[in-house]
Amino acid sequence: MPLACAGFIDVYQGLVPYVGPRSSLISVRIEEKLFIRAGGRSPKLKMHLSFATSITLVSLAAANSLSNRLAKRAAIDDCLRTANVPVDAPNSNDWRADSNPFNQRLKYTPVAIAVPTTVAQVQAAVSCAAKVKVKVNPKSGGHSYASFGLGGEDGHFVVQLDRMNAVTYDSATEIATVQAGARLGRVATALYNNGKRAFSHGTCPGVGVAGHSLHGGFGFSSHTYGLAVDAIVGATVVLADSSVVETSQTENPHIFWALRGAGSNFGIVTSLKFKTFAAPSQVTVFAINLPWTNASAIVQGWSTIQDWLKAEMPKEMNGRILGNRMQTQIQGLYHGTQAQLRTAIQPLLTKLNAQISQQQQYDWMGAFSYYTYGQQVDVSRPYNLVETFYSKSLVTPALPSNVLQNVANYWIQKAMSNNRNWFIIIDLYGGANSAITKVASNATAYAFRDPNNHLFLYEFYDRVNFGSYPSNGFEFLDGWVKSFTDGLTTDQWGMYINYADPTMNRTMAQDVYYRKNLPKLRALKTELDPTELFYYPQAIQPV
């Protein structure tokens, strides 16, 4: 029955909301009177009254839900006001900006948005959330593909951290202290201006440093220096009991372990300490065009690249394969000069029978700026970049020939016939010389360290430039990922939470994001946050 206008039915001596056509409301009222006059003996009249009762119960539940949300909003607002925690006024410009998701496909309405500028205010905000019994989520840059910074569903309390964005550097220790709300472009700029320092992280300047680094953080320095998570040497975190603790290898090491790979599940990190390296004086941006216009070319080229990556790709080389409807390229950043790049890449070029199609030498920030594709580098607020998309991820070993054939067939037959603005990124992640897989598998909660099983990191991305994402669009990327996983055992692949896919249920998501580290993480969740104050639909579940 279509929904139209609202009305009320007087049942059990009380008015309850009814949503339905006005004619049905009148019919229900008439039939109810006839049923009563008939002494409750008419089956037809019983059916009408049963329908009315069902509508009433559903409406009661909706009314109670709305009432609870309004009560929680009033309670959290009152608590925050008393605690002097700054907030966004509902429907203000700040509210609209802070609740506007990067992925426009997934919009959610928070119960409140706190905008702290101090650790004490974060503590007070967490205390209020616990008192009111409302789920709370930190939001740094707001780039969660699943809108988990907004809770991943309506009614969460958001702690917006981007007013806390200071970056400081200690030249004696070579450690940078970065507040959780700083974005990557600001961090890179500040460190380079303080002694030309750097640490490994991604290329998108508007991404928040906290979410990015606490869950991995791959970029064009990762093959050389490791992931952003590997540079973390300390973190300040507010826990579910609103206490603030320092973490490191020697201070609360169990929490420190969990934060490095699964940080959003255990508290609100307010600042991070990163070990830095001296930014190379010269780096070289490069591209190699790949003629992947048919399945056999993809199979042959991919096989060559994965063999080279496994055994030969130099530590100084960082790269990815980027494919879309227009072209496929190897893109990368070599930590060295153009001449050094040409020498290092020649063995691969010979095997591919290819040439470098583009190369340009830059200083460190010049190369960072190059891969922002024209975006502002040192960015904080306002930040308004949004897209409408569906995305998935994978981490895999070198692909067996049968899997590679299935993937290539799908690329040519399915992907190339999709007229939306899709792309696939295949990061050259592992291999014998990768700094990522030299980190011990149990050193952090981040799961993907096996030099044999973790060779490639993938991002599958399908977007529309205008309007809504189509309801039948999901099967495109789902099918492409399935062409990989059908030929691999479950212990050979995983998924990367920084490219979160909210279509997975919680059980599957936990498993593919954290794999063998999940049991330990669940035990720590039970210890640190048994009531799941820090919750989103794919959060780690207590035991």
Side-chain angles (χ1 to χ4, degrees), residues 6 53 102 114 146 171 203 206 218-219 242 256 301 446:
T53 304
F102 173 64
S171 59
T203 59
F218 182 89
S242 74
F256 186 56
Y446 182 79

Short mmCIF file of all heavy atoms in Angstrom, two decimals, residues 6 53 102 114 146 171 203 206 218-219 242 256 301 446:
data_model
loop_
_atom_site.label_atom_id
_atom_site.label_comp_id
_atom_site.label_asym_id
_atom_site.label_seq_id
_atom_site.Cartn_x
_atom_site.Cartn_y
_atom_site.Cartn_z
N ALA A 6 -0.27 11.60 6.72
CA ALA A 6 -0.28 11.11 8.09
C ALA A 6 -1.65 11.29 8.71
O ALA A 6 -2.37 12.22 8.41
CB ALA A 6 0.77 11.83 8.92
N THR A 53 -4.23 -2.74 13.22
CA THR A 53 -3.39 -2.96 14.38
C THR A 53 -1.93 -3.06 13.98
O THR A 53 -1.04 -2.53 14.64
CB THR A 53 -3.82 -4.23 15.13
OG1 THR A 53 -5.19 -4.10 15.47
CG2 THR A 53 -2.99 -4.43 16.38
N PHE A 102 32.22 12.49 2.05
CA PHE A 102 33.01 12.39 0.82
C PHE A 102 32.26 11.55 -0.21
O PHE A 102 32.17 11.91 -1.38
CB PHE A 102 34.38 11.80 1.12
CG PHE A 102 35.20 11.51 -0.11
CD1 PHE A 102 35.60 12.54 -0.94
CD2 PHE A 102 35.57 10.22 -0.43
CE1 PHE A 102 36.35 12.29 -2.09
CE2 PHE A 102 36.32 9.95 -1.57
CZ PHE A 102 36.72 10.99 -2.40
N ALA A 114 30.53 17.37 17.77
CA ALA A 114 31.45 18.14 18.61
C ALA A 114 32.65 18.56 17.77
O ALA A 114 33.09 17.82 16.87
CB ALA A 114 31.91 17.32 19.80
N ALA A 146 32.96 4.51 3.33
CA ALA A 146 31.68 4.02 3.84
C ALA A 146 31.03 5.01 4.80
O ALA A 146 30.05 4.66 5.47
CB ALA A 146 31.90 2.68 4.55
N SER A 171 63.81 18.25 16.12
CA SER A 171 65.01 17.92 15.35
C SER A 171 65.96 17.01 16.11
O SER A 171 66.74 16.27 15.50
CB SER A 171 65.72 19.20 14.93
OG SER A 171 66.11 19.96 16.07
N THR A 203 48.87 10.07 -1.31
CA THR A 203 49.06 11.21 -2.18
C THR A 203 47.91 12.21 -2.15
O THR A 203 48.05 13.31 -2.69
CB THR A 203 49.23 10.74 -3.64
OG1 THR A 203 48.06 10.01 -4.04
CG2 THR A 203 50.45 9.85 -3.78
N GLY A 206 43.83 16.01 0.94
CA GLY A 206 42.73 16.25 1.86
C GLY A 206 42.41 15.12 2.80
O GLY A 206 41.56 15.26 3.68
N PHE A 218 49.06 3.52 2.48
CA PHE A 218 49.98 3.23 1.37
C PHE A 218 50.19 4.47 0.52
O PHE A 218 49.26 5.27 0.33
CB PHE A 218 49.42 2.10 0.51
CG PHE A 218 50.32 1.70 -0.63
CD1 PHE A 218 51.29 0.73 -0.45
CD2 PHE A 218 50.21 2.30 -1.88
CE1 PHE A 218 52.14 0.37 -1.49
CE2 PHE A 218 51.05 1.95 -2.93
CZ PHE A 218 52.02 0.98 -2.74
N GLY A 219 51.40 4.62 -0.02
CA GLY A 219 51.69 5.73 -0.91
C GLY A 219 52.95 5.50 -1.71
O GLY A 219 53.50 4.38 -1.72
N SER A 242 36.80 7.53 29.03
CA SER A 242 37.19 8.94 28.89
C SER A 242 38.57 9.25 29.47
O SER A 242 38.95 10.42 29.55
CB SER A 242 36.13 9.89 29.47
OG SER A 242 36.13 9.91 30.86
N PHE A 256 48.89 0.15 21.93
CA PHE A 256 49.68 0.64 20.81
C PHE A 256 49.64 -0.35 19.65
O PHE A 256 49.49 0.04 18.48
CB PHE A 256 51.11 0.88 21.27
CG PHE A 256 52.00 1.53 20.24
CD1 PHE A 256 51.65 2.75 19.68
CD2 PHE A 256 53.19 0.94 19.85
CE1 PHE A 256 52.48 3.37 18.74
CE2 PHE A 256 54.02 1.54 18.92
CZ PHE A 256 53.66 2.75 18.36
N GLY A 301 51.43 -9.12 -19.92
CA GLY A 301 52.06 -7.99 -19.24
C GLY A 301 52.01 -8.12 -17.73
O GLY A 301 53.01 -7.84 -17.04
N TYR A 446 47.99 -4.44 11.79
CA TYR A 446 47.81 -4.43 10.34
C TYR A 446 48.16 -5.81 9.79
O TYR A 446 49.21 -6.37 10.10
CB TYR A 446 48.69 -3.35 9.71
CG TYR A 446 48.52 -3.24 8.23
CD1 TYR A 446 47.42 -2.58 7.69
CD2 TYR A 446 49.43 -3.81 7.36
CE1 TYR A 446 47.25 -2.48 6.32
CE2 TYR A 446 49.28 -3.73 5.99
CZ TYR A 446 48.18 -3.06 5.47
OH TYR A 446 48.01 -2.98 4.11
#
